[in-house]
Amino acid sequence: MNVDAFVLNRAVCETGLTRIAPITQPDYAGLRLEKSQIRADILSHVNVDYSQPASTNTRISATEAPNEEQVDPSQPQSGEKFGSPLRANRIGVYLHWSLPRMYRAGTMAAEGTKTRDNNQNTSSQPTFYQVPTRWLVGRRIKTSEPPVSAEQREDAWVIESDRLWNIDELGPEVDLETDVSPFVSYTEGDERSPDVLNKQASVYIGAKFPAKGWKELGKQVPRTELTIMNSSNFCFADNTMHNPNVFSMVDNFEVIDEQGNKTILNKVTCDYIVLGWHWNEVSDPLYPKLGVQGLLRDRLRDLFLSPGEGMVSEVQLSSEVEARTVCHGTIYNVSFDRDSKPFTPADDMAKLFTSDIRMEPLAVGSTALDAILSFLSAHENDSENVFGAGTGFIARDLLALSELLYATEDDFDSRVKAADLVSAQNFTTSSGGDAWQYDGKSSVGGKPARPNWVPDGDTGRSELDDLRLVNDLQDQLSTAERRLREVRWALFALWWTFVSDTSNDDPMRQAWYRSLAATLRTEADMIIRLTETPSNGLNDQVENIVRKRPQTEPSVQPLVPARSVPQPPFHQRKDPTLCIAGMHSGWPVEYMGNVPVRSVVDNGNDAEVIFAGQMQSRDIPHALWALGREAFGSEDHGSLLGFKQWTGQPWCPLYLEWEATYFHIPIEKWLVNVVNSPLRDLTPQIRYWIKDRLSSDPRSTADQRAVSGRSILLPQGTINLRALTEQVIDTPGVTLTPEERTELVANVGRLKFITAELNGLTSNLVTTNEGTHVQPNLHVPGSAQDLPLAAAYLAGRDGGLQPQDFRTMGDETAATPYGTSMTDPIAAANAFKGVSHGQMIFTKLNIVDKFGQVISAIPPKPLLRKPDLRHIETAYPCLGDQVCPNLVPGTNHLNTVTALTEADPQLPGSYPLCPYIQITPALNQPARLNAHFVTPKTAANGAFEGWRISDDWDQPVWGWVIVNLADYGLQFFTADGNFYVEMTLGGPNSAVTSPKWLPFDPPSQTSTLVSPQLDQLTKRMTGADGSTYLRSFFQMITKAIETMPYTPPDYAAYATSIVGKPFALVNVGFSLELANAPLRSHVVPSSPLPLGPALPTDPEPLLNYKFPIKIGDKDRPFDGVAGFYDTLNASPGTTDWENLHTYFTSSNANPEPQDPRVPILPENFDTLSPYYIESNNLDSTGFAAAHARQLTVKTMLIDPYTPLHVYTPILPIKSLQLPAWTVQRTLEKISAFFHLGPILLTQDVPPKYNTADPLNIETWLQRQKLRSEDPSNIQIRLPIGGGKKGVWNWLQPYDVPENEEVEGSATRTRYNALEVGEDDPGPYTLVEGFLQLSRPVGAEDA
């Protein structure tokens, strides 16, 4: 266990750059349900405005009792006047012990862990183990002024963390801020008390008693069950200002001699030991009878513990031996001087935030890694000023590896792909719901099994009908569940708004609240009935179709075999991440993993006593005596965890409190382009940028508002950086020597970083608060039920809230609405931002540690109501390329709402000094970018009815294009791989189109084989300007091939591999789907209105936004888009064949007028508007059809082996790829052939057409599989280069009369397939026809 000691005296408060915050404890009076007291966050931000001088700091001075006389007996100076007397009891050493990891991790009925039935967590919320509540703190004085006797050198106290007090029980000598801890405590039945919340402001826990003669009273006195999370305070266990005499204590060095005389020591050097245990075995997680059960080894693992080497015997580990938990930690040589300030590392860190430093050790990025690398880039040449001497090479090597930290390989494609995928780390994900896939049997690598479409005699539905029905029901269920969570929170928000409304006694306002409550209650009831009603509810309907029906015998099979698969998740952009460089987290690295444990025997017969009898108490476990002797018997414990030397004031940053001004920049100023980073040369990405100079437009600062937040500081930045470095250090292409690699990995931990997401930014913009606040329901740990508080119901009763509403709310009560907190009507009307797009500048940035030390990155001073933005006190962090403003075109000025100077050439890398963080447009609620292959849905008469999202077994390809480089042409095939037509460039008209189907006989039913779109496309390549169209199409493909990946090796097994690369023609639909209905403002005007409060409307409705998307990218070789056409989503669903959108346009300065290619540029990027489908607004066609109607459909030419990608700056990249079976099954059928001749042969071809062997497109493939390579079957010999590879056919044309019985009948060309053998000597015959590879070598089953 880690123990820290902090010295507090007047000098600590008054000197140095680090501020000592006044004690700011949770204001539990803010839990009271009174409109004048209820608070959205009972934890106030620390205020260091009056922290210096010490006489104005309430932490150590009694400012409420100013006194010109020196009344502090600890101050030897006489005659010095002070404004306020010092609080002598608060001067001394503050000791804090950090709870091990096992108590910080929540559990939820862990699978495979054996627990007693009455110890299982049946709740969906995590349950935490109870913490040790008895702590023996021993102190041994080594030296002191004045000196003390031998008996006074040693002292010990027992801390009872769970001792429960009411304020009426505490005497006047008790300091409510340092002797006890405010706490929230509920007991059984409290939920029925109307006064329970009012009592919380007078509840305290914690007590300190002398160890000598201490007795364990157990439950003879009031106690509370204590876990790390049941205090309603996120940092309770680690914040010494919040947990005195619970997990910390103050030692003011008051010693008492045998006569009872008290002496205050002025200088002390001493050692401390802290030992903790569970007084009640029921609460000890290691106790096998009531805690985690099983072998000791398994129990330790489940509790994030590991046996130290040689510390626990194998016999013990392999048994279910009873064990108890004892936590211990020791700190040596703590030095206290009442008049002097000890060495304070935080002061050195605070110097980096002074005006003498050009750039603070801060960075802001889209992710923690982005912020870290941005800082290293900005400080590439002066990193040692931040991290210390000898660290420069580490920063430089990491920057050299920076791209590899995102990529898995060193090739260009991997680095570019990694640069794109980095953006995905900037988003949180939430469930996208489930879908049901048909689970019938299919052949390995073959087409997925298709459900039966023949109706069942009992249900009247086929398997296909049931599968589509269950997916529609599942979509409806997922949407309803998401909506129910919204309604549950809306009920809580209504209750909160009413209770906090200062005008909630106005009858008109009460009527408005009652009306809204009734509406929400009705909707919640409707959703619950829709989803939960037995038999008819959505849950049961889904179960009845896809699983064995619960109301029947187990032998009854599901109506359709199906398996559940997750749908793509919804995404929402995270708030930016702040990185603080050069600052240690304060957490020893050893405590981040499993904590080592050792066995200590409780020898009850060992009566040796330490502390000169101060520990003489029968109720203190004897095992603690052995640990005490070990700690004070020697100071040399090697690498054994739990023993440390005091080296000065600790710096243990806990959280960050920040405030900022957000400027909402009009959306019309934002453009989308593919641009590089404004900071350094990176792979160009699709980004938002601002073209016009913002500082010259007053609208840029017209819409502004304050935002704030509190963020937990995490040490994972350095830990993750080291882990990533270890992963990529051996990547091919890394030029470091083995010695340099070893040194880099060993030293990367010297670069200290802590990171924090700027939580609160998005919440503020959508008018909600994050913080600790009153909950209307009482959560019972380990229980699945929440108990409504009677007090909450009584407070909301006049607003129309009923008891059932609180049960409906459940645990959807994390955030509070703004409600009536905004009194300015103009500010209230503009507060809500459904889409953020602006810039932000810090106005406060305080880093707070667990002892109340504060580093203010921005000098603390009251902010003016209308500050001068040109001279505002702020911070200048290094900015990641995603959050850095772009340059004003044609200048090196960053485009910010107020003008900035040019980049400072004296800074490393000319990194710009910029206080503004750019918040590019982003949805402030979850959404997802959809991409689906779609199929036209037609009526019985063939009329287009709309688009349908393709099923797994559907062939989404409606045509194939093979590039015939040998003939300089294109071959078109149907969806099933049947040859349709070939078009070649050349001839008198610049293009030659072969008759359709030749060299095959036309099929019997062409309408079922040929897609209308394929027919339309090929027709467009004929006619007056068809040659230009064909040539443009051909050039686009050949250019695309140059940038696309090579076909995979298995493509060589297909006949088409000798002709050219295949391309697929598909229809793809894109949409932007919201997980929930568009958010609305949660501001309620505070002034009473005749008809109740008029809710503010969003001046920028979310559904009106148009977000650009970029389809494909020629600069990214892993993208498979060659080009696309626009397609009408509604009837008649036609494709605009006149405009071919592509990146592969003509290289001529003046392209031909008939060239259909339209370059894809930012000016013509497609746009998508968000949509949301409400389950109660569906028509009879269902969810799938409703989603399909929202799709923007494109007819696309794609590489079948490479995914297509859709890029947007607001969401992660979306990819879509053809299933492997669609490519495999089709290419097996496609025949490869090309023109050949005239050519001389060694023997003549058969003179007449063989009617018994027609070249039939529907049967030729099967016939080729049955053909043998009997030499007697060879009818023609050709000099095939490289020898005979595979089975070759010569397709010989014949003029065949349409009707042989009618003389002079018209003829048509028909072909016979003649098997080809190797060339032999003459004589020769001159022939012309097609050479066909009917079966490639090694493709026996082709």
Side-chain angles (χ1 to χ4, degrees):
M1 186 174 64
N2 184 54
V3 178
D4 288 305
F6 171 75
V7 172
L8 180 65
N9 57 27
R10 185 194 301 276
V12 169
C13 283
E14 292 195 326
T15 59
L17 296 173
T18 306
R19 303 289 186 114
I20 303 300
I23 294 178
T24 306
Q25 290 185 328
D27 180 12
Y28 288 119
L31 300 177
R32 293 177 176 173
L33 301 180
E34 298 177 11
K35 56 189 176 185
S36 61
Q37 290 187 300
I38 189 171
R39 293 181 55 181
D41 189 0
I42 61 173
L43 300 176
S44 299
H45 280 209
V46 298
N47 185 353
V48 294
D49 292 346
Y50 303 102
S51 59
Q52 291 179 348
S55 59
T56 63
N57 191 331
T58 58
R59 177 74 174 270
I60 66 168
S61 296
T63 58
E64 72 280 4
N67 191 337
E68 294 185 359
E69 298 297 327
Q70 170 61 289
V71 297
D72 183 4
S74 66
Q75 296 298 318
Q77 300 93 337
S78 60
E80 186 175 353
K81 305 292 185 180
F82 297 95
S84 302
L86 282 179
R87 303 180 188 270
N89 64 302
R90 299 188 182 183
I91 306 299
V93 168
Y94 286 73
L95 207 64
H96 175 262
W97 46 95
S98 300
L99 291 171
R101 185 182 175 192
M102 61 186 287
Y103 298 108
R104 299 174 181 271
T107 61
M108 297 174 58
E111 185 177 0
T113 301
K114 295 188 296 183
T115 60
R116 295 175 61 93
D117 291 343
N118 61 358
N119 196 41
Q120 290 180 345
N121 178 14
T122 60
S123 172
S124 60
Q125 298 184 358
T127 295
F128 295 81
Y129 291 113
Q130 293 186 45
V131 301
T133 54
R134 297 295 179 271
W135 304 93
L136 176 64
V137 181
R139 180 194 68 199
R140 181 176 63 178
I141 296 175
K142 294 181 175 179
T143 63
S144 69
E145 290 184 11
V148 295
S149 66
E151 292 76 13
Q152 293 174 321
R153 288 183 179 274
E154 296 161 347
D155 208 347
W157 304 267
V158 173
I159 304 294
E160 295 186 11
S161 300
D162 60 351
R163 181 66 164 91
L164 187 64
W165 306 92
N166 187 280
I167 194 170
D168 297 334
E169 301 175 283
L170 301 174
E173 74 284 358
V174 175
D175 188 329
L176 296 180
E177 293 185 330
T178 59
D179 290 339
V180 287
S181 300
F183 195 73
V184 173
S185 176
Y186 297 102
T187 58
E188 185 177 354
D190 276 352
E191 72 276 5
R192 297 187 295 272
S193 170
D195 199 39
V196 61
L197 292 172
N198 294 335
K199 295 179 179 178
Q200 296 306 315
S202 59
V203 175
Y204 292 84
I205 63 171
K208 182 173 72 171
F209 301 98
K212 187 174 183 179
W214 172 80
K215 295 184 180 297
E216 176 59 71
L217 298 179
K219 292 187 177 181
Q220 299 177 43
V221 295
R223 305 281 183 197
T224 184
E225 292 186 357
L226 187 60
T227 72
I228 198 170
M229 292 300 293
N230 68 350
S231 66
S232 301
N233 181 346
F234 73 97
C235 62
F236 177 72
D238 297 302
N239 193 334
T240 60
M241 293 190 293
H242 295 175
N243 63 24
N245 287 340
V246 177
F247 303 120
S248 66
M249 61 160 272
V250 58
D251 182 4
N252 63 358
F253 296 104
E254 180 183 85
V255 295
I256 304 175
D257 60 20
E258 295 179 351
Q259 288 73 38
N261 300 318
K262 297 181 180 180
T263 303
I264 300 291
L265 304 181
N266 293 319
K267 293 184 179 181
V268 180
T269 300
C270 62
D271 304 333
Y272 291 98
I273 182 174
V274 180
L275 302 149
W277 73 98
H278 295 263
W279 74 272
N280 187 348
E281 63 186 19
V282 174
S283 63
D284 193 332
L286 261 184
Y287 191 62
K289 293 182 179 179
L290 297 167
V292 178
Q293 296 183 348
L295 300 180
L296 180 60
R297 177 184 289 105
D298 298 332
R299 286 148 55 198
L300 294 177
R301 182 195 61 237
D302 293 340
L303 296 171
F304 304 100
L305 304 173
S306 62
E309 185 176 354
M311 297 295 182
V312 185
S313 71
E314 182 61 30
V315 174
Q316 291 175 306
L317 293 173
S318 302
S319 69
E320 297 188 8
V321 62
E322 293 187 8
R324 296 292 302 276
T325 305
V326 175
C327 303
H328 71 94
T330 305
I331 186 167
Y332 298 107
N333 298 311
V334 178
S335 178
F336 170 77
D337 186 333
R338 196 170 295 273
D339 301 323
S340 300
K341 181 176 182 176
F343 170 66
T344 306
D347 282 343
D348 294 333
M349 188 68 201
K351 291 178 182 177
L352 299 176
F353 295 94
T354 61
S355 58
D356 297 333
I357 304 298
R358 289 181 175 271
M359 186 179 292
E360 296 97 329
L362 299 174
V364 176
S366 56
T367 64
L369 185 58
D370 179 42
I372 289 172
L373 293 178
S374 298
F375 183 85
L376 293 177
S377 179
H379 292 269
E380 183 174 2
N381 298 321
D382 71 337
S383 59
E384 295 190 359
N385 294 339
V386 177
F387 302 112
T391 59
F393 81 95
I394 308 173
R396 288 190 294 272
D397 288 346
L398 284 176
L399 283 175
L401 296 173
S402 59
E403 287 184 347
L404 289 177
L405 292 176
Y406 294 122
T408 56
E409 298 180 17
D410 189 35
D411 59 278
F412 174 77
D413 291 1
S414 295
R415 291 192 180 206
V416 174
K417 185 184 297 186
D420 288 339
L421 296 180
V422 166
S423 61
Q425 302 177 24
N426 191 26
F427 296 86
T428 59
T429 60
S430 57
S431 172
D434 296 312
W436 294 93
Q437 285 185 349
Y438 187 67
D439 202 20
K441 302 298 182 182
S442 60
S443 59
V444 178
K447 178 179 180 179
R450 177 175 179 171
N452 192 331
W453 61 89
V454 178
D456 178 78
D458 294 332
T459 65
R461 300 191 305 266
S462 66
E463 282 189 336
L464 179 58
D465 294 332
D466 281 325
L467 186 64
R468 287 181 173 164
L469 173 60
V470 76
N471 273 304
D472 218 61
L473 293 170
Q474 184 66 58
D475 270 347
Q476 192 175 355
L477 176 61
S478 298
T479 302
E481 289 173 342
R482 289 195 297 269
R483 177 57 186 162
L484 181 58
R485 286 193 291 272
E486 279 190 298
V487 175
R488 291 169 61 194
W489 182 84
L491 275 170
F492 165 72
L494 177 70
W495 172 82
W496 175 273
T497 302
F498 175 76
V499 173
S500 60
D501 188 345
T502 56
S503 302
N504 61 13
D505 52 357
D506 185 322
M508 295 299 295
R509 294 177 74 84
Q510 290 180 356
W512 179 83
Y513 282 111
R514 287 195 295 270
S515 174
L516 186 53
T519 300
L520 292 173
R521 184 182 311 112
T522 300
E523 184 176 5
D525 291 343
M526 180 196 70
I527 296 174
I528 293 171
R529 288 196 304 271
L530 177 67
T531 58
E532 302 297 337
T533 300
S535 300
N536 294 326
L538 292 174
N539 276 309
D540 279 0
Q541 289 189 63
V542 170
E543 289 288 329
N544 291 342
I545 294 175
V546 297
R547 295 198 177 98
K548 293 181 179 180
R549 284 162 283 180
Q551 63 267 44
T552 61
E553 295 296 326
S555 60
V556 176
Q557 297 300 311
L559 297 178
V560 57
R563 63 181 181 275
S564 177
V565 295
Q567 293 199 58
F570 292 99
H571 300 273
Q572 182 176 348
R573 191 174 69 184
K574 299 177 184 177
D575 289 329
T577 297
L578 178 73
C579 163
I580 306 172
M583 183 175 290
H584 195 281
S585 69
W587 289 90
V589 177
E590 297 84 358
Y591 290 94
M592 301 306 296
N594 287 355
V595 177
V597 298
R598 54 196 176 122
S599 174
V600 178
V601 178
D602 183 354
N603 187 350
N605 296 322
D606 189 347
E608 183 177 351
V609 180
I610 60 172
F611 300 125
Q614 295 298 333
M615 281 182 60
Q616 292 188 43
S617 169
R618 295 180 179 180
D619 293 338
I620 296 177
H622 289 77
L624 274 60
W625 300 8
L627 292 170
R629 289 195 306 275
E630 175 190 51
F632 289 157
S634 170
E635 294 186 15
D636 184 9
H637 298 281
S639 59
L640 192 63
L641 199 62
F643 302 90
K644 63 187 292 187
Q645 293 285 336
W646 192 77
T647 58
Q649 295 281 57
W651 170 247
C652 307
L654 266 187
Y655 56 89
L656 173 81
E657 292 181 340
W658 61 273
E659 293 177 359
T661 300
Y662 170 80
F663 301 92
H664 196 63
I665 300 172
I667 190 62
E668 59 267 19
K669 287 186 172 292
W670 298 85
L671 303 175
V672 168
N673 204 342
V674 181
V675 294
N676 208 328
S677 165
L679 303 175
R680 50 192 181 274
D681 188 19
L682 298 174
T683 303
Q685 292 179 314
I686 182 169
R687 304 171 186 266
Y688 273 106
W689 68 298
I690 301 173
K691 180 180 179 181
D692 300 328
R693 188 185 292 269
L694 292 175
S695 58
S696 60
D697 188 346
R699 292 184 303 164
S700 301
T701 56
D703 187 0
Q704 60 177 278
R705 54 164 306 195
V707 291
S708 62
R710 181 188 293 113
S711 306
I712 304 297
L713 291 171
L714 302 173
Q716 276 77 7
T718 301
I719 296 171
N720 293 342
L721 185 62
R722 179 188 177 103
L724 284 170
T725 304
E726 291 175 344
Q727 290 177 17
V728 306
I729 199 71
D730 294 322
T731 302
V734 176
T735 58
L736 299 177
T737 66
E739 293 76 15
E740 291 173 331
R741 298 181 187 193
T742 302
E743 186 178 14
L744 177 59
V745 171
N747 288 283
V748 69
R750 294 174 61 190
L751 302 185
K752 303 300 181 185
F753 294 100
I754 54 177
T755 59
E757 189 176 332
L758 295 176
N759 298 323
L761 172 59
T762 300
S763 299
N764 276 264
L765 295 180
V766 297
T767 59
T768 60
N769 295 301
E770 296 181 1
T772 304
H773 54 269
V774 63
Q775 302 287 330
N777 294 320
L778 175 61
H779 172 65
V780 180
S783 171
Q785 289 188 339
D786 290 323
L787 304 177
L789 294 176
Y793 162 65
L794 293 175
R797 181 173 52 187
D798 290 341
L801 276 298
Q802 299 179 3
Q804 70 188 69
D805 298 330
F806 296 91
R807 289 189 289 271
T808 301
M809 293 177 199
D811 57 2
E812 293 291 333
T813 57
T816 58
Y818 270 23
T820 59
S821 61
M822 299 189 74
T823 56
D824 185 342
I826 297 178
N830 295 321
F832 178 78
K833 308 298 179 189
V835 180
S836 55
H837 39 85
Q839 292 180 353
M840 182 178 81
I841 186 171
F842 285 118
T843 54
K844 184 178 85 171
L845 207 58
N846 286 338
I847 307 163
V848 185
D849 102 317
K850 68 182 182 181
F851 291 104
Q853 297 177 98
V854 179
I855 293 179
S856 295
I858 301 172
K861 61 175 60 175
L863 188 64
L864 299 177
R865 182 180 295 272
K866 292 185 178 180
D868 184 351
L869 297 175
R870 296 168 299 176
H871 304 100
I872 191 172
E873 289 282 359
T874 185
Y876 291 80
C878 309
L879 299 176
D881 63 283
Q882 296 288 341
V883 297
C884 182
N886 59 273
L887 297 175
V888 177
T891 73
N892 63 342
H893 291 269
L894 292 178
N895 199 357
T896 55
V897 294
T898 59
L900 299 177
T901 59
E902 297 182 7
D904 190 338
Q906 299 182 24
L907 288 173
S910 297
Y911 211 89
L913 277 174
C914 179
Y916 289 99
I917 302 163
Q918 183 137 299
I919 311 297
T920 56
L923 295 165
N924 287 333
Q925 64 183 91
R928 64 183 171 197
L929 182 60
N930 294 320
H932 303 284
F933 292 112
V934 295
T935 304
K937 184 179 180 181
T938 56
N941 61 0
F944 177 81
E945 291 187 332
W947 296 100
R948 177 178 63 82
I949 297 174
S950 298
D951 291 312
D952 296 337
W953 56 85
D954 285 333
Q955 168 59 282
V957 179
W958 52 262
W960 295 87
V961 181
I962 305 295
V963 184
N964 190 341
L965 296 176
D967 293 336
Y968 205 55
L970 302 174
Q971 295 178 351
F972 292 85
F973 296 80
T974 66
D976 290 335
N978 297 314
F979 175 75
Y980 182 53
V981 70
E982 180 178 39
M983 298 181 181
T984 57
L985 297 172
N989 296 322
S990 301
V992 178
T993 302
S994 67
K996 292 179 180 178
W997 308 108
L998 287 183
F1000 297 94
D1001 286 351
S1004 57
Q1005 295 291 333
T1006 59
S1007 61
T1008 60
L1009 288 178
V1010 183
S1011 162
Q1013 289 180 289
L1014 180 59
D1015 188 50
Q1016 295 164 12
L1017 176 60
T1018 54
K1019 284 181 179 178
R1020 186 60 188 82
M1021 295 180 181
T1022 61
D1025 59 352
S1027 60
T1028 302
Y1029 199 104
L1030 174 62
R1031 184 164 50 252
S1032 301
F1033 200 89
F1034 183 86
Q1035 291 175 356
M1036 176 191 70
I1037 290 179
T1038 54
K1039 285 188 174 184
I1041 291 175
E1042 296 175 0
T1043 67
M1044 290 180 175
Y1046 295 114
T1047 53
D1050 60 2
Y1051 181 58
Y1054 301 115
T1056 52
S1057 61
I1058 69 165
V1059 179
K1061 185 179 179 71
F1063 283 85
L1065 289 160
V1066 294
N1067 296 312
V1068 181
F1070 306 98
S1071 64
L1072 181 56
E1073 180 187 358
L1074 299 176
N1076 304 100
L1079 298 179
R1080 64 169 182 82
S1081 175
H1082 300 298
V1083 174
V1084 174
S1086 57
S1087 58
L1089 299 171
L1091 299 178
L1095 295 177
T1097 57
D1098 188 357
E1100 301 170 305
L1102 176 58
L1103 301 185
N1104 291 349
Y1105 276 83
K1106 296 183 182 296
F1107 296 102
I1109 60 171
K1110 180 175 181 288
I1111 303 173
D1113 194 328
K1114 70 174 182 178
D1115 295 324
R1116 283 160 169 76
F1118 47 84
D1119 185 79
V1121 175
F1124 62 86
Y1125 300 91
D1126 293 329
T1127 303
L1128 296 177
N1129 191 24
S1131 179
T1134 55
T1135 298
D1136 176 16
W1137 299 110
E1138 300 305 314
N1139 296 291
L1140 175 54
H1141 301 272
T1142 182
Y1143 300 100
F1144 310 102
T1145 55
S1146 174
S1147 55
N1148 297 330
N1150 298 309
E1152 298 179 74
Q1154 295 81 16
D1155 189 334
R1157 288 174 291 178
V1158 177
I1160 300 175
L1161 299 171
E1163 299 84 63
N1164 62 12
F1165 282 168
D1166 286 281
T1167 60
L1168 297 176
S1169 292
Y1171 78 93
Y1172 172 70
I1173 298 175
E1174 296 184 7
S1175 57
N1176 57 351
N1177 285 339
L1178 285 176
D1179 57 24
S1180 59
T1181 58
F1183 258 92
H1187 281 298
R1189 287 192 291 270
Q1190 298 293 332
L1191 295 172
T1192 297
V1193 179
K1194 303 293 180 182
T1195 296
M1196 306 187 69
L1197 182 70
I1198 64 172
D1199 180 349
Y1201 288 106
T1202 307
L1204 66 91
H1205 295 84
V1206 188
Y1207 303 85
T1208 172
I1210 65 168
L1211 287 171
I1213 299 167
K1214 179 69 177 180
S1215 63
L1216 182 67
Q1217 186 171 12
L1218 285 173
W1221 70 265
T1222 63
V1223 182
Q1224 176 185 341
R1225 289 175 60 88
T1226 305
L1227 293 185
E1228 285 177 349
K1229 297 173 62 176
I1230 290 180
S1231 170
F1233 56 88
F1234 44 85
H1235 291 279
L1236 190 65
I1239 188 172
L1240 289 173
L1241 303 179
T1242 59
Q1243 63 187 59
D1244 198 1
V1245 298
K1248 292 189 65 176
Y1249 176 73
N1250 183 0
T1251 57
D1253 190 20
L1255 193 60
N1256 190 307
I1257 198 169
E1258 297 164 310
T1259 62
W1260 82 271
L1261 178 62
Q1262 187 62 28
R1263 293 179 63 182
Q1264 298 307 313
K1265 291 182 178 181
L1266 299 176
R1267 291 178 74 164
S1268 67
E1269 297 189 49
D1270 188 343
S1272 63
N1273 293 333
I1274 294 176
Q1275 298 170 285
I1276 188 171
R1277 296 185 179 276
L1278 288 175
I1280 300 174
K1284 185 173 182 292
K1285 304 288 186 181
V1287 178
W1288 291 82
N1289 284 337
W1290 174 259
L1291 306 184
Q1292 178 61 36
Y1294 297 89
D1295 282 336
V1296 181
E1298 293 283 356
N1299 189 342
E1300 295 183 357
E1301 297 179 357
V1302 179
E1303 186 177 352
S1305 173
T1307 63
R1308 65 186 178 95
T1309 303
R1310 301 185 72 180
Y1311 288 79
N1312 282 141
L1314 309 179
E1315 189 166 344
V1316 175
E1318 296 187 54
D1319 191 21
D1320 59 6
Y1324 298 96
T1325 300
L1326 189 67
V1327 296
E1328 184 176 8
F1330 292 95
L1331 181 64
Q1332 179 194 46
L1333 176 61
S1334 65
R1335 188 165 74 231
V1337 63
E1340 290 80 1
D1341 298 326

